Amino acid sequence: METVERARGHLYSFHQLTGSADLALGEAVDLLAEAGHHEIADRLRTELVGRNILPGRWTFQVVEEYDDGYYTEFRAAERDTRERLVGGRRHLFEAEMKEDRRTHGAPGHEARPDQT
């Protein structure tokens, strides 16, 4: 699940970076036009500014499809599996590692926040 969350984060980064690139391109095209390079500006504005990244899709649509499809299904399957196998507990490996590695009774090594 953590790897899927990281993949989703990268997808959102891709979405934001692509959108920022398109906005920057639009500004560059405006500057080219102001500098008298109308043919180049018109070509870039027509061919690239606002262009789909996949057939019929901007990045927000890819993000939405991922969220509504694979991501939603993966989260539901992970939650169901966790409920059925370990009573819904999360981060089992990390909780066991914390218990094993902490110094019992030492300040800053409490098992939970309510034990400070």
Side-chain angles (χ1 to χ4, degrees):
M1 187 69 225
E2 288 179 4
T3 303
V4 169
E5 293 290 0
R6 289 182 60 211
R8 183 172 181 255
H10 287 291
L11 185 59
Y12 271 82
S13 292
F14 171 72
H15 160 58
Q16 292 173 346
L17 289 169
T18 301
S20 295
D22 187 67
L23 291 173
L25 175 63
E27 292 174 9
V29 167
D30 291 342
L31 292 172
L32 283 167
E34 288 175 23
H37 304 287
H38 299 288
E39 184 180 330
I40 295 170
D42 289 345
R43 178 175 172 242
L44 292 172
R45 186 174 291 112
T46 301
E47 294 179 13
L48 285 178
V49 173
R51 184 181 179 96
N52 291 326
I53 58 120
L54 293 170
R57 290 178 184 85
W58 273 20
T59 57
F60 78 91
Q61 291 166 305
V62 174
V63 167
E64 288 176 356
E65 286 184 39
Y66 180 84
D67 278 352
D68 294 344
Y70 183 82
Y71 181 72
T72 296
E73 292 298 322
F74 199 108
R75 283 192 66 192
E78 185 270 343
R79 187 179 310 114
D80 179 64
T81 301
R82 197 170 15 88
E83 284 293 329
R84 295 176 76 180
L85 297 179
V86 295
R89 291 175 290 157
R90 296 179 291 168
H91 293 98
L92 286 169
F93 175 74
E94 291 88 343
E96 291 173 2
M97 183 171 34
K98 178 179 181 175
E99 191 59 28
D100 186 51
R101 294 178 57 86
R102 72 186 185 91
T103 303
H104 295 255
H109 288 260
E110 298 81 11
R112 292 180 307 279
D114 61 356
Q115 294 180 337
T116 57

